[in-house]
Amino acid sequence: MKVLVLAAFFALACAEPIVYFREQFEDGDAWKSRWVESKHKSDYGKFVLTAGKFYGDAEKDKGLQTSQDARFYSLSSRFEPFSNEGQTLVVQFSVKHEQNIDCGGGYIKLFPADLNQEDMHGDSAYNLMFGPDICGPGTKKVHVIFNYKGKNHLINKDIRCKDDEYTHLYTLIVRPDNTYEVKMDNKKVESGSLEEDWDFLPPKKIKDPEAKKPEDWDEREKIDDPEDTKPEDWDKPEHIPDPDAKKPEDWDDEMDGEWEPPMITNPEYKGEWKPRKIDNPNYKGKWVHPEIDNPEYTPDAEIYKYDSAGVIGLDLWQVKSGTIFDNFLITNDEKFAEEVGNETWGLTKDPEKKMKESQEEEERKKREEDEKKLKEETKEEEDEDEEEDEEKEEEEDDEEEEEETDSNLKDEL
Ligand SMILES: *[C@@H]1O[C@H](CO)[C@@H](O)[C@H](O)[C@H]1NC(C)=O
């Protein structure tokens, strides 16, 4: 018995990961036979294969890049259909917004096998949509949208995406116990239960429609003290005629009308009288609406489950193109996905950063040299101008001298 349990344990622990889909674009133009562009619209933007302006490895970092601004993109790839029933589902890919994106999608969609790839478009029914979406400073989020019984549901939590120009790894894990995890660059950024973080099911509890707050339920914590009475001398007018004011001597009642002293604020005015507050002896606390089990609620142990997945697609809009998608992986094995992430994104991320930084350093140096050159050139021009001025002055001096000689001559004559 013990042996059997151990054997079963090892079988589980050592089970080979199932790879449903993997695409790393490492065989030149051959990707074109694996990816299909939709013909739903005639002017979809073109994807090109490139490692981009900077990269960690010229070959390994080649991926699909959006190449035209202000376009919709619609490209997909098919794999052997599968159901994730009883299995963990891991969807992973890398995104690099090397164009410093202002607005555009960076997400993938997972479709059922019956998708017509040539007619794929924004409203094509999908199983899930996952990945970063950026539009202006206001939208920088990771979408996690699941289709449940024909309706798309957005996650209730805010997951901020990366918005720099480097390659980042995005991983979505959906487990058969209806839990999920989102990772960025192989680090967990969000996790929890599918039921709690999406509105797939109606709420478990609702307010009892039969229950009503009793009429005599007193929610007032403090009340006016009934014993307190207004003092008799409380009421005084707010304004009174200024007792110090005097009728001016030159006041003419007939011309100026009857004189009236100006009004001033009454120093004895006390404002409106309010009784003192005391604790309400009948206070019962806030009334809490009792809850009952929601009759509309039925638990679903298989929220995570899709009967069919068979196509992965890039269905996006981009204002500024240049995003590179790479390292697609769909598997049933979290650890394997993490390893693959380490061996792809993990290996090239630092060299990629280095290349970008050295490019920036080169650019900075070149800019400085150009500026220096420009400064020297303008200085030379200024020097030349000065020389010309000096020459002119000398000529003028000569002329003057000549004139002088002339007059001298005249005098002598
Ligand atoms: C991936 O790399 C990280 C960082 O080096 C490491 O901590 C982790 O164990 C690696 N994961 C796997 C599955 O190899």
Side-chain angles (χ1 to χ4, degrees):
M1 185 63 196
K2 236 184 205 167
V3 176
L4 263 183
V5 171
L6 267 182
F9 174 78
F10 275 109
L12 266 182
C14 305
E16 282 289 305
I18 306 174
V19 176
Y20 304 112
F21 181 75
R22 194 163 176 184
E23 173 66 89
Q24 301 190 173
F25 305 102
E26 285 177 353
D27 51 3
D29 279 344
W31 68 272
K32 289 180 179 167
S33 65
R34 297 188 296 266
W35 291 78
V36 174
E37 192 182 272
S38 170
K39 295 187 174 72
H40 186 80
K41 281 160 68 91
S42 57
D43 59 347
Y44 283 121
K46 293 281 171 230
F47 281 99
V48 295
L49 185 73
T50 173
K53 292 182 284 190
F54 53 90
Y55 41 81
D57 185 297
E59 283 308 310
K60 284 185 182 148
D61 284 352
K62 276 186 182 160
L64 291 186
Q65 183 176 45
T66 56
S67 71
Q68 292 166 290
D69 292 348
R71 291 294 181 100
F72 284 101
Y73 290 82
S74 195
L75 192 73
S76 63
S77 189
R78 189 173 282 284
F79 45 85
E80 198 63 41
F82 71 93
S83 167
N84 62 330
E85 183 169 8
Q87 295 280 342
T88 296
L89 172 64
V90 186
V91 180
Q92 180 168 284
F93 63 103
S94 66
V95 187
K96 176 195 190 189
H97 293 307
E98 69 168 20
Q99 75 276 41
N100 192 2
I101 196 164
D102 50 358
C103 186
Y107 42 79
I108 60 94
K109 288 178 178 177
L110 188 67
F111 294 94
D114 64 5
L115 174 83
N116 175 2
Q117 288 176 270
E118 299 216 324
D119 190 44
M120 181 177 107
H121 55 87
D123 292 325
S124 300
Y126 57 81
N127 294 332
L128 64 88
M129 176 175 138
F130 170 60
D133 190 17
I134 294 179
C135 208
T139 303
K140 287 182 180 183
K141 64 172 161 193
V142 179
H143 281 296
V144 192
I145 304 176
F146 291 111
N147 188 284
Y148 180 73
K149 298 192 170 163
K151 225 180 130 222
N152 293 337
H153 295 261
L154 276 71
I155 189 168
N156 296 333
K157 287 177 173 166
D158 246 350
I159 312 177
R160 209 180 150 80
C161 69
K162 305 277 182 184
D163 62 352
D164 59 36
E165 293 153 54
Y166 297 107
T167 300
H168 293 288
L169 188 71
Y170 286 86
T171 310
L172 172 65
I173 301 165
V174 184
R175 304 190 190 96
D177 64 356
N178 286 320
T179 62
Y180 76 99
E181 189 170 318
V182 173
K183 298 203 292 184
M184 265 191 276
D185 295 346
N186 258 346
K187 285 211 178 70
K188 179 168 91 179
V189 291
E190 195 55 83
S191 66
S193 114
L194 293 177
E195 185 171 337
E196 278 164 28
D197 292 351
W198 283 261
D199 298 325
F200 298 124
L201 307 178
K204 257 186 196 156
K205 298 263 178 192
I206 52 165
K207 284 181 176 161
D208 183 357
E210 307 281 302
K212 250 199 191 134
K213 184 164 82 173
E215 302 247 319
D216 62 349
W217 189 281
D218 202 337
E219 287 186 330
R220 294 169 307 158
E221 207 174 335
K222 300 264 177 191
I223 51 163
D224 292 347
D225 183 358
E227 310 273 286
D228 195 16
T229 51
K230 182 157 86 176
E232 276 185 8
D233 62 348
W234 185 277
D235 288 328
K236 293 273 158 54
E238 190 174 351
H239 299 284
I240 50 164
D242 184 355
D244 295 332
K246 279 205 182 92
K247 181 168 158 180
E249 277 177 14
D250 59 353
W251 188 275
D252 185 336
D253 277 354
E254 255 167 46
M255 291 280 286
D256 303 328
E258 197 182 326
W259 181 80
E260 276 173 20
M263 299 296 275
I264 58 160
T265 309
N266 183 359
E268 285 176 17
Y269 176 66
K270 291 199 193 128
E272 192 196 338
W273 181 82
K274 278 191 189 129
R276 176 167 72 224
K277 293 275 181 192
I278 54 162
D279 287 344
N280 180 3
N282 297 322
Y283 176 59
K284 286 200 178 154
K286 268 253 164 260
W287 185 72
V288 180
H289 202 132
E291 292 193 329
I292 54 161
D293 288 342
N294 183 1
E296 314 265 297
Y297 174 85
T298 341
D300 182 353
E302 294 186 327
I303 298 176
Y304 76 96
K305 191 188 83 176
Y306 295 102
D307 293 330
S308 161
V311 176
I312 187 168
L314 296 166
D315 174 58
L316 338 142
W317 159 255
Q318 288 210 326
V319 175
K320 198 160 142 199
S321 63
T323 304
I324 299 176
F325 295 90
D326 195 9
N327 300 314
F328 292 96
L329 173 68
I330 306 174
T331 177
N332 69 338
D333 191 317
E334 295 179 36
K335 187 142 179 285
F336 173 68
E338 190 176 307
E339 263 169 37
V340 170
N342 278 355
E343 286 158 14
T344 53
W345 163 85
L347 284 186
T348 55
K349 70 181 165 69
D350 291 336
E352 174 187 274
K353 195 155 188 234
K354 243 192 193 154
M355 183 184 277
K356 177 156 170 56
E357 281 168 0
S358 76
Q359 282 176 357
E360 281 169 356
E361 178 66 15
E362 294 267 308
E363 271 167 35
R364 194 184 56 79
K365 271 195 199 142
K366 194 171 170 296
R367 226 180 13 250
E368 279 178 6
E369 263 165 38
D370 286 351
E371 274 167 21
K372 214 167 117 192
K373 242 190 228 157
L374 198 71
K375 247 187 216 159
E376 273 166 14
E377 275 169 15
T378 40
K379 190 158 179 288
E380 270 170 29
E381 271 169 31
E382 278 170 11
D383 287 351
E384 272 168 28
D385 285 350
E386 266 171 39
E387 270 168 36
E388 269 172 34
D389 287 349
E390 273 168 29
E391 272 168 31
K392 245 189 221 156
E393 270 166 35
E394 272 168 33
E395 271 168 33
E396 278 166 16
D397 286 352
D398 287 352
E399 274 167 27
E400 270 169 35
E401 265 169 41
E402 268 166 38
E403 270 170 30
E404 266 171 38
T405 347
D406 283 357
S407 53
N408 284 348
L409 265 179
K410 265 182 211 157
D411 280 349
E412 270 169 37
L413 282 171

